[in-house]
Structures are given as C-alpha cells and as structure tokens.
Amino acid sequence: MVPLSHYLILSATLFSIGVLGVLIRRNAIVVFMCVEIMLNAVNISLIAFDRHLNQHDGQIFSFMVMAVAAAEVSVGLAIIIALFRNRPTVNLDEFNLMKW
Amino acid sequence: MVNLAFLVPLFPLIGSIINGFFGLRIGKDWVGKIACGGPILSFLVVVLLTVSLFFHPEGTPYPELILFNWIPAGSLQIEFGFQIDPLSCVMMMVVTGVGSIIHIFSIGYMYEEYSYYRYFAYLNLFLFSMLLLVMGNNFLVMFIGWEGVGACSYFLIGYYFNKKSACDAATKAFVVNRIGDFGFLIGIFYVFQAFGTIDFSTVMAAAPTTLIYDSTTATLLTMFLFLGATGKSAQIPLYTWLPDAMEGPTPVSALIHAATMVTAGVYMIVRCNALFNLAPLTMTIIALIGGGTALMAATIGCTQWDIKRVLAYSTVSQIGYMFLACGVGAYTAAIFHLVTHAFFKACLFLGSGSVIHGMHHEQDIRKMGGLKDHMPITYLTFLISTIAIAGIFPFSGFFSKDEILYHALMDGNVIYWGMGISGALITAFYMFRLVFLTFHGESRVDPHVHPHESPAVMTMPLIILAGLALGGGLLGIPIIHGWHVLGNWLEPVVAFDWTTALHHSETVLASHGHHESFAELLHSKQVHEHSWWDISWELLLMAFSVCVAGVGIFMAYLFYIKFPDMPGKLTKGQWGFDMVQNKYYVDEIYDETIVKPTVDASYRLWKDADQKGVDGAVNGVAKIIGFMSKIAQNFQSGFVRNYAMFMVIGFVILLIVI
Amino acid sequence: MELLIFYPLAAFTVLLALGVVFNNSPIGSAVSLIAMMLGLSGIFIVLHAHFLAVLQIIIYAGAIMVLFMFVIMLLNLKGDDKAWKIRERNLYLSIMTGVMVLLALYKMIDKVLDTTFGEGADVPDTFGTTVAVGTSLFTEYVLPFEIASILLLAAMVGAVVLAKTKVD
C-alpha cells in the first residue's frame, strides 16, 4: 500500500517539470508536450485521491481531462501549422507580436 | 388654458431649429415664412392666455405650468415651469407682438444677405430665450433665458463676422454682460440661502416675513440682483456695450437692443419687487443710477452723428427712466414705460433701418437731409415715434414718462424729478435734432446715392408700430380713476403687504434688542396710497413737462433748421462739448483702469504662472511617467514565455500567501 | 510489494519527463513523452485504475503522440533548438520559478494531507474496472460525456479550419 502523499509528491514533481519546460523551451511543439506533462500530473493526483476515497468520480474527471487534452492538442497543433505557414519557424520568441 | 403655455416658447424654437439646420436647403421664401410663423403663432397663444387671465378668480394664486422636475437635489428642488400672471403676460405680449413685427420687417431688410437663414435662426432662438426669461417660474429658468438672450445678442451683434468692429462689439457686449450675469448669479445663490427656494411665487410670498426691512441681507441680495440688471439693461456703469452693439443688423437693434432684451433688467426688478421694497438703500441707488443714466446718455445722444448710435444712447437713457421708476417704487410706471418704449423705439429703429436701406447702408446723418420727400411713410412714422419719445400729448410716451416723473417727485424727491425733467428736455432736443438732420433741410446726400422708399414688407411694420406708439398711451390713462388699465392689471403683482413686513421686522429687531419703530414709515406708505390721484399736482406737472419738451423741440428747430451754422460755431473749441462727444471718455477710462491691467495681469499669468508653473508641472509629470514606463517596458519583452513565467510567479506567490 | 513497483516507475516517469524538457531534438522529446505515458499507465495500474491505464496508452501514447510525431515530421523540425540556452538571465529565472512551484506544491501537500485524509480506504476488486467506470460514466456523468463529444467535434472542425491552406 503506497501512501497517498507519495503519489501527490510525484504529481507535484511532474507538474513542476512541466512548468519548467513551458518556461524554458522555445520550440512550440515541445512547449505543448510540457503542457501534456502537466495535465498528466494532475491526472495522477485525481486517480490517487480516487483510490484513497474509494470512488470513481476522479477517474471520470481524468477521462474528461484526456478528452480536453485531445481537443487542445489537435487545435494547438493546427495553430502551430498555421503559424509555421506564415513564418517558417516554431520558435516562440519569433512570434513576438504581443509587443507593440 | 394654462396648459398651452408651453407652446409659446416652442414655436420660435422649432422655427430656429428648422432654419438653423435646413435653412440653406429650403430657400429664402420658406425661411422667412417659418421664421415669422413661429412668433405670430406664439402671439396668438399669448392672446389666448391673456384673455383666460381675465377670468381668473381674484385673490387666488396665479396658475403655473410645471413641465418637469428639473433639479431634485436634496433641499434644492427646482422645477422647470412657466408662470402665467399679469406681468409675464404683458411681457409676453410685447415680446411676441413686437417680435413678430420685427421679424416681418427683417424679411425685407435682410433679403440681400447671403446667410439669411442664419440670421433668422438666431432671431428665433432669441425669441425663445426671451420667452423663457419672462415666463420662467423660478430664478433659474429666468437665468437660462437671461444667458440665452445674451448669447443670441452676441451672435447677432457679430452677425457680420468678417467685420472686425462687429466682432469686437460682440465680444465687448458679451464680456460686459458677463459681469452683470455674475452678479445676478450670486444674487440667485443669495436668494436660495435666504429663502431655501428660488421659486418666484414662494419667495415673493415669503419675503415680507423673512427679510428684515433695511437689513444687510436684503440690501446685499438686491444689490447683486441689480448688478445683473445693470449689465443686461445697459445702465451705469455697464452701459458701454450697448452703443457698440449697433454693429448688428438694424432689426436686431430694434428687437434686442431696444424693445426686449435690454428691458429684462427692469422686468427682473419688477418681478422681484417684494425683495427690493425691503431694501431702501438699494432703491435709492437704483433711482440715482437710473436718473443719472437717463441724463448722461441723453447728453451723449446730442453729439453723435451716427443715426443708430443716437438711438442707442436714447435707449440707454429711456431705460434709465424705467430704473428711476423702479427706484421710487413705481413698478407699474416702469412696466408702462417699458411697453410704450418698446413700441416707439422699435418703430424708430426700424425707421432708421428703412432709411439705411434706402440710403444703401449710409448711417451718418451728416450725409442725409431732406429725405422726407423721398421716403414719406418712413418720415411720417419716424416723426410720430419721435413725438412719442419726446413726450407730447397725447402720444404714448407722454403718459408713461409723466407717470414716472410724477412718481419721482411724489414718492422720491426733487433731485430725481430734476434729473428726469432735464433728461426729458434733452431727449426732445436730440430726437428732433435727429429728425431735422435726417429728413428736413438741405439734402447733403452723396450724389451717387438715390434714396428710395422701402417696400411694403418694411413699411407695414412701421405703420403698425407707429400706430401703437400713437395709441399705446391709452393703456395707462392717469387722473380718471379706474382708467389706468395697465395699473389695474398689474395691481396683484406689485401689491406689497407693508403692514406685515414692517411688523415682522419690528418684532425680529426687538427680539435682538434693537427697538426701532417703523410706524411712521408704514403710515407714510399707507397715506401715500390715498394721495395717489392728486389731480391738480399731476396736471401741473404734465403741463410743465409738455412745455419742457416743447422748449427742447424749439431749440432743435433753431439749431438745425433756422440757423444751421450755429451748432458748429457754438461748440467749436469747447472742451465740454468735446468731452460729451467722446462719451465722457468712459470707454477710455475703462480701458485704462480695468481692461489694460486685466490684460497685463493675464499676460503675466500666461507667461509666468501658466507656461512655467502649470506647464512645467504637467510636463514634469509626463516625464516622470515616461521614465517609469521605460523601466516597466523591460517587463513587456513580447516573449510569450516571459509572460507565462510571470503568470507562474504570481501563482506561486498566491500559493505561498494562502 | 506495491512500493517496490511504485518507486522504480515513479523514478522512470520523472526521468523521462526531465528528458522531455531537456532534449534538444523535438523527436527525442516526443519519444521520451511516449515512454513517460507508458510509465504513467503503470502507475495507474498500481492505483487499481485499470481502465484508465488502458485509456492512457490508447489515447496518449497512441493518438495524441502520433499526432505530435506527424506534425514534427510534417514541419521537418530538426534538433536545432539550442537557442534556448542563450538567454541566461531568463533561463535561471525560469528554473528558479520551476523549483519554487515544486516547493510551493510540496508545502501545500504537506499542509493538507495528513491532517485531512488519514489512511486510505480498502477498495473492492471491482474498483477501476471497465464495468465500474463505464456504469458511472453512462449513468451519473452521461451529460458531461456527451458534452465532451461535442467538444471533440468542435475541436476537429476547428483544427481543420485552422490548418487549411486557403481560407475562403
């Protein structure tokens, strides 16, 4: 029997790694992958709590998270392709139109 | 019937809007029709209202038409409403009646102007404002009208805006009026402070039991109101704008600067008579200023060569008479003179307009003369009005001016009367001087100019106004009791409860330890009402003033018909004449003492205080902000990852705080 | 027994997650991510969430990661992402931020956990099976489930519109 805190620590660690990746990588696709890591980290804690409390709500929730992740990835990658068509790079720092 | 009152100002307003916005598209004919239609319709409504007032039960308050609750702010409750009582009906009759006639005259006079529609839009707007002024049921509605007529006067004086003198005159009128308006506004505040309301009917009803006779409050309050009146009605010391206002088109001078707007001050004082009655010091000042203005403006009028300027000084002088009447408490006489003056002075101005029109815009009477053969109708109407203003029986001016002089002697003292009667002498002199120089004698007309009579659209108004100038005196026949129609009509408005007021003052003063008795004063006021119709005195005074007017006319005849060389010889090298000709140098004195220091101080304020102080502060603030934003700019790198990082930092801080 | 399986799996996932972040080539990152997903499904099995473990493999490792691979190859991205090491100041700041997130999360877990929850419940054998989750999904959560399908449909249409060459 693994204590709940271990799962949560794993989840937090993975989440932080995801954050770090989002912050330091410039490749848009890798940034997306890091977002996936963060989503998965949350899934771990959801299921761990589920197990801890003996109910299924958390699993349903992580199922929804997967559905949203799928939707997000498909749209996100489509956006990256559209951007890449305008400017042949996926370097996020090149897309600095937010500064005017 | 009162519910129709809102139509009165509405018609001119509609006319003004249509002409102002679509005037160029609908063509001159329609502009003229719309512009005249508004005042005429208003006049009809006013007649209805006046007739309905005849059936008003005596002793009950006069109807007011409340349109909406305008400013409900705590203890300050101001309604936008119209007051329909005998006084406002008289004023409405004059404004819409004379206004309509002058509008019709304008169609002919202004026909050649390019921006014909603009003129009529302003003129209609003026009527609207003037009607607000006389109909308002509280000080603030009156003030809107007060400011509105000031603005319209500014627009119309500066109608020929490509003429520098006209623009300067407009600015001058506006600025001088502003001083008066300032006083009026403070007066309104003062009224609110003293009474807690600015509703005319409430204030006037409460005045006897609120203000103390001859108290500082009463005096100051009325002085501020009177300051407003001097500005609008061109009295000493604020009269200088009116002669310059003659730069505007002549019908404007007739309507605004003779018949209606400039009498607003008189109307306001009569409207607030309950307040002024309680301030004897203010009354004395009003009488002195009125009499002084009457005399001084009349002397200046003798020396002017511009036909309109002579009339302008004459207007100032005649309004002085009205103030003199107010100052001695003869409010009915003031309104009576206001009405008759509106008739004959409008006729004189329109007559001068007709002359100017016929002479192709020549205004100098030295270049006229012998015009009576060329323009007989104008001559005749002008003559009738001149006789009326000079005060010859049975023309209207005779009745109204004699009533004022009679009251000046009876209710005031011999100084007031002296001022009035010498003013009357000079008035007769300079008015006939004007007639003789313009219409009689040798023709001094420029040979290139061929004077001609004006078209019917201009002569018809002249004839109507001349008729009114001739018969207007019937409104107030003295001596025979009950025949003074105007006096009976205005009786409820000017009635003042001296007994209550003086008793209240005595009680209040006694409670403060000042035992003063007003019994004697009260007695004099009451006795006075009985001696109102002192027939023998009145007849004597009438005969005397007619003689005086006759002397004035005869002198004018001697000087300008019989011996035309004499005036030149008499006045040559006389310092006194020079002084009068230059209008007592009042303009120059004002320039040196008020205008120049103000301009200098403003210049210094601009250069030192504004450019260095204010601008420096503003620019400094801008610079500091610029510097700060340079620093802040570093955060806005434009890199999405940086933004994400700041988001995460914020999130962490939030977590730690929780 | 469970602990013996859990620790290696946890270490494996964390290492692979770090590999995703610090790999120069996008392909390398993607492969690490796939492996991490597999590790995660192992952890799910340890948690008795068998159905979720299978879904994790099918959806993430199967569908999503294939999509990533497609895009990387479509755009022909090579392992040239070295530039991220250049902006030093931001890099250190970012790493610090990441560490701070980690610490903050640990602190929160520490605070909340032992006080509120205590010992875990005993679970029946049917916990986390397809039957149990499916019953829950199609009875209690049927509305969110249907809404999720609409979301996926919208995302699909959106992706097609965004990625189309010519927008008319």
Side-chain angles (χ1 to χ4, degrees):
Chain A
M1 187 81 188
V2 185
L4 180 58
S5 57
H6 288 42
Y7 289 110
L8 292 182
I9 286 165
L10 173 65
S11 164
T13 312
L14 284 180
F15 187 85
S16 305
I17 291 169
V19 170
L20 191 63
V22 168
L23 290 185
I24 65 176
R25 291 306 295 255
R26 304 171 115 179
N27 189 320
I29 292 176
V30 179
V31 168
F32 254 109
M33 292 181 194
C34 294
V35 172
E36 295 305 317
I37 296 176
M38 286 156 78
L39 286 170
N40 274 300
V42 173
N43 276 357
I44 294 173
S45 58
L46 281 172
I47 294 168
F49 273 113
D50 235 22
R51 166 81 176 76
H52 190 77
L53 300 171
N54 185 20
Q55 58 187 30
H56 286 117
D57 300 0
Q59 298 193 22
I60 307 293
F61 212 94
S62 45
F63 176 78
M64 295 298 163
V65 170
M66 283 180 196
V68 171
E72 179 233 330
V73 165
S74 60
V75 174
L77 288 175
I79 289 173
I80 288 175
I81 288 172
L83 283 174
F84 191 80
R85 199 173 283 136
N86 275 332
R87 207 186 282 195
T89 175
V90 289
N91 188 339
L92 278 180
D93 289 354
E94 303 273 322
F95 302 115
N96 56 358
L97 275 179
M98 283 171 94
K99 181 183 185 181
W100 200 249
Chain B
M1 200 60 82
V2 180
N3 296 334
L4 291 178
F6 76 94
L7 288 173
V8 179
L10 187 66
F11 286 127
L13 182 65
I14 293 173
S16 168
I17 290 170
I18 295 177
N19 280 341
F21 288 106
F22 310 108
L24 209 49
R25 258 173 252 164
I26 56 180
K28 282 191 176 180
D29 286 344
W30 275 104
V31 168
K33 277 174 197 160
I34 290 168
C36 298
I40 291 170
L41 286 173
S42 294
F43 180 68
L44 295 177
V45 178
V46 171
V47 170
L48 269 177
L49 288 172
T50 311
V51 170
S52 81
L53 266 198
F54 274 110
F55 302 104
H56 182 75
E58 227 172 292
T60 52
Y62 283 101
E64 291 180 25
L65 173 68
I66 307 294
L67 289 186
F68 52 87
N69 198 350
W70 185 21
I71 303 177
S75 65
L76 179 68
Q77 295 287 337
I78 299 173
E79 285 160 331
F80 198 97
F82 297 136
Q83 168 121 31
I84 311 300
D85 69 354
L87 178 59
S88 62
C89 273
V90 169
M91 290 302 291
M92 278 147 68
M93 288 284 251
V94 172
V95 171
T96 55
V98 176
S100 306
I101 294 168
I102 292 173
H103 271 74
I104 294 167
F105 181 89
S106 299
I107 294 181
Y109 187 80
M110 299 299 288
Y111 202 77
E112 287 144 34
E113 297 296 333
Y114 167 70
S115 47
Y116 188 68
Y117 68 95
R118 183 164 63 90
Y119 170 82
F120 278 110
Y122 290 156
L123 210 57
N124 272 347
L125 191 64
F126 167 78
L127 267 195
F128 165 73
S129 309
M130 191 67 204
L131 286 167
L132 275 190
L133 196 161
V134 299
M135 291 171 75
N137 75 335
N138 61 51
F139 278 101
L140 205 60
V141 178
M142 187 193 222
F143 188 70
I144 297 180
W146 193 272
E147 291 294 313
V149 291
C152 293
S153 155
Y154 169 77
F155 294 149
L156 284 165
I157 295 170
Y159 176 75
Y160 299 112
F161 56 79
N162 40 17
K163 225 166 90 185
K164 185 162 189 320
S165 59
C167 293
D168 287 348
T171 312
K172 184 173 177 183
F174 201 73
V175 172
V176 174
N177 261 306
R178 203 109 296 274
I179 300 169
D181 295 349
F182 175 68
F184 186 36
L185 201 56
I186 292 184
I188 294 175
F189 294 154
Y190 219 142
V191 167
F192 180 71
Q193 199 208 21
F195 292 91
T197 174
I198 53 168
D199 210 55
F200 283 134
S201 48
T202 326
V203 169
M204 296 317 146
T209 52
T210 310
L211 289 182
I212 298 162
Y213 184 76
D214 205 7
S215 64
T216 322
T217 311
T219 309
L220 272 180
L221 194 159
T222 46
M223 279 307 290
F224 278 122
L225 291 178
F226 177 59
L227 179 62
T230 53
K232 194 59 77 190
S233 294
Q235 296 298 293
I236 294 172
L238 300 177
Y239 73 93
T240 52
W241 65 272
L242 186 59
D244 287 358
M246 296 302 131
E247 292 287 346
T250 311
V252 169
S253 309
L255 179 61
I256 301 183
H257 305 120
T260 54
M261 185 187 86
V262 288
T263 58
V266 179
Y267 166 75
M268 192 258 280
I269 290 180
V270 176
R271 171 60 80 199
C272 305
N273 63 74
L275 304 178
F276 284 89
N277 277 338
L278 291 167
L281 181 63
T282 314
M283 293 293 264
T284 312
I285 292 171
I286 294 177
L288 283 175
I289 283 186
T293 311
L295 196 56
M296 178 176 162
T299 52
I300 300 174
C302 297
T303 59
Q304 298 299 307
W305 295 113
D306 183 320
I307 183 167
K308 284 180 71 183
R309 272 180 188 263
V310 175
L311 292 175
Y313 280 107
S314 149
T315 305
V316 174
S317 159
Q318 296 300 311
I319 296 168
Y321 276 105
M322 297 174 207
F323 276 97
L324 178 60
C326 289
V328 297
Y331 301 110
T332 312
I335 292 294
F336 185 26
H337 197 58
L338 190 160
V339 175
T340 56
H341 174 255
F343 295 153
F344 59 67
K345 188 50 68 66
C347 184
L348 286 171
F349 262 115
L350 294 188
S352 76
S354 177
V355 169
I356 294 165
H357 186 74
M359 296 284 293
H360 305 286
H361 297 280
E362 178 57 65
Q363 301 195 3
D364 193 333
I365 47 177
R366 282 170 294 193
K367 292 182 184 161
M368 293 179 188
L371 288 178
K372 70 177 188 271
D373 303 327
H374 296 291
M375 28 181 71
I377 300 174
T378 307
Y379 167 64
L380 207 62
T381 52
F382 203 89
L383 187 64
I384 290 171
S385 308
T386 309
I387 298 173
I389 197 176
I392 302 291
F393 183 81
F395 291 72
S396 60
F398 166 78
F399 293 101
S400 54
K401 192 181 284 180
D402 269 310
E403 198 175 328
I404 292 175
L405 291 177
Y406 171 77
H407 284 294
L409 188 58
M410 290 292 134
D411 301 352
N413 58 42
V414 74
I415 297 174
Y416 299 159
W417 181 77
M419 284 173 157
I421 198 78
S422 31
L425 172 74
I426 304 171
T427 305
F429 173 76
Y430 72 74
M431 282 312 297
F432 272 89
R433 165 182 176 265
L434 184 63
V435 171
F436 291 148
L437 281 176
T438 311
F439 293 101
H440 290 262
E442 291 287 309
S443 176
R444 298 176 298 278
V445 180
D446 193 318
H448 301 297
V449 175
H450 301 287
H452 59 84
E453 182 59 286
S454 303
V457 72
M458 288 164 72
T459 50
M460 279 313 290
L462 283 177
I463 293 168
I464 297 171
L465 282 171
L468 288 169
L470 181 61
L474 298 178
L475 278 174
I477 298 172
I479 302 175
I480 309 168
H481 190 71
W483 277 43
H484 197 304
V485 181
L486 199 71
N488 300 337
W489 177 247
L490 290 175
E491 187 66 46
V493 181
V494 299
F496 186 70
D497 194 352
W498 280 106
T499 322
T500 318
L502 293 179
H503 275 310
H504 172 259
S505 303
E506 271 177 15
T507 330
V508 173
L509 286 178
S511 71
H512 285 85
H514 302 283
H515 290 282
E516 215 167 320
S517 175
F518 290 122
E520 208 175 312
L521 183 73
L522 182 59
H523 181 68
S524 78
K525 296 280 180 199
Q526 277 165 344
V527 165
H528 202 68
E529 277 165 22
H530 293 295
S531 68
W532 190 275
W533 306 101
D534 197 345
I535 294 175
S536 54
W537 260 111
E538 184 147 9
L539 278 177
L540 194 66
L541 283 173
M542 281 177 174
F544 185 69
S545 61
V546 172
C547 289
V548 164
V551 169
I553 296 168
F554 181 66
M555 276 166 65
Y557 173 73
L558 277 184
F559 276 30
Y560 295 101
I561 301 281
K562 199 90 177 170
F563 310 106
D565 305 337
M566 208 160 73
K569 282 180 197 158
L570 267 180
T571 55
K572 203 169 185 183
Q574 292 277 341
W575 64 268
F577 178 80
D578 280 350
M579 188 175 79
V580 179
Q581 172 118 46
N582 287 306
K583 310 153 208 163
Y584 297 103
Y585 298 106
V586 171
D587 273 329
E588 285 75 7
I589 293 168
Y590 280 1
D591 253 3
E592 284 300 324
T593 56
I594 298 169
V595 178
K596 272 218 182 112
T598 313
V599 169
D600 284 352
S602 308
Y603 184 80
R604 251 174 272 130
L605 270 178
W606 168 44
K607 278 291 176 199
D608 295 343
D610 191 73
Q611 280 200 340
K612 284 181 190 155
V614 179
D615 287 7
V618 172
N619 290 341
V621 168
K623 267 178 197 152
I624 290 167
I625 291 173
F627 178 69
M628 303 285 258
S629 47
K630 277 265 159 57
I631 297 169
Q633 209 176 21
N634 292 333
F635 293 101
Q636 298 286 321
S637 58
F639 298 120
V640 185
R641 292 178 313 127
N642 273 20
Y643 298 146
M645 188 178 74
F646 289 123
M647 254 169 69
V648 173
I649 291 172
F651 163 71
V652 169
I653 292 168
L654 203 66
L655 272 184
I656 292 166
V657 169
I658 291 167
Chain C
M1 175 64 197
E2 278 185 2
L3 279 173
L4 274 185
I5 305 170
F6 174 76
Y7 284 128
L9 270 179
F12 179 69
T13 31
V14 171
L15 276 177
L16 282 169
L18 287 171
V20 173
V21 175
F22 292 104
N23 208 321
N24 272 340
S25 139
I27 292 283
S29 290
V31 172
S32 308
L33 191 59
I34 292 169
M36 196 203 89
M37 298 296 178
L38 294 174
L40 273 186
S41 77
I43 287 175
F44 288 172
I45 290 169
V46 173
L47 279 166
H48 291 267
H50 310 292
F51 177 62
L52 260 289
V54 175
L55 275 189
Q56 176 83 2
I57 293 169
I58 294 174
I59 295 178
Y60 271 113
I64 294 179
M65 289 322 295
V66 167
L67 197 58
F68 268 108
M69 288 297 209
F70 268 161
V71 172
I72 291 166
M73 291 178 174
L74 180 72
L75 302 183
N76 198 18
L77 297 174
K78 301 206 174 64
D80 55 354
D81 194 17
K82 288 189 178 101
W84 59 274
K85 288 173 181 161
I86 294 170
R87 285 172 65 91
E88 298 285 316
R89 200 185 57 165
N90 270 337
L91 184 68
Y92 295 141
L93 202 59
S94 302
I95 292 171
M96 256 169 58
T97 314
V99 174
M100 272 164 66
V101 172
L102 190 64
L103 293 176
L105 287 175
Y106 284 169
K107 188 187 161 218
M108 197 172 72
I109 290 159
D110 221 38
K111 217 171 170 181
V112 171
L113 199 69
D114 296 322
T115 50
T116 322
F117 294 107
E119 273 300 300
D122 284 331
V123 291
D125 286 346
T126 52
F127 181 82
T129 57
T130 313
V131 175
V133 178
T135 309
S136 184
L137 193 60
F138 286 105
T139 53
E140 206 177 343
Y141 295 101
V142 68
L143 185 65
F145 179 72
E146 296 300 335
I147 290 173
S149 63
I150 292 172
L151 173 75
L152 286 169
L153 179 68
M156 197 168 78
V157 174
V160 170
V161 169
L162 278 169
K164 235 167 52 166
T165 325
K166 274 183 191 167
V167 181
D168 44 25

